[in-house]
Amino acid sequence: MIISVRRGLRFIRFIIFFVALVYLFYHVLDLFNGWISPVDQYQIPTGNAVKVFQETDWSGIGEARPTMAERLRLFYWYGE
């Protein structure tokens, strides 16, 4: 069996080049991931911002309890 040094060096050079490109591609995708990922909605507000929410007690007298379809529509409308 004949082992060629040139072919071996060419293969090693290919592997090094391939690993370098994979490393570069990974960091480019990581950069885009940081840019595309959504902002944390539940972080503590800063500045003049105030975080508010409303807890609804549906057991009140005279109030009609919303149906599951209305609650689902409200969920999709707010997008949360």
Side-chain angles (χ1 to χ4, degrees):
M1 182 164 117
I2 299 173
I3 299 175
S4 172
V5 174
R6 284 187 188 174
R7 188 179 290 174
L9 290 176
R10 192 180 323 150
F11 180 72
I12 291 173
R13 188 177 60 188
F14 171 76
I15 294 297
I16 291 172
F17 188 66
F18 180 75
V19 168
L21 284 178
V22 167
Y23 183 77
L24 178 69
F25 187 67
Y26 170 78
H27 282 288
V28 168
L29 287 180
D30 190 36
L31 177 71
F32 282 125
N33 183 30
W35 179 60
I36 290 174
S37 63
V39 178
D40 183 17
Q41 297 180 26
Y42 304 107
Q43 66 184 354
I44 298 173
T46 59
N48 294 332
V50 177
K51 186 172 182 176
V52 297
F53 66 96
Q54 176 183 2
E55 285 190 34
T56 306
D57 183 19
W58 299 105
S59 63
I61 300 173
E63 291 185 23
R65 187 176 182 105
T67 64
M68 188 62 163
E70 289 173 346
R71 291 175 61 193
L72 187 62
R73 184 177 58 90
L74 183 65
F75 175 79
Y76 285 128
W77 182 50
Y78 278 129
E80 293 187 6

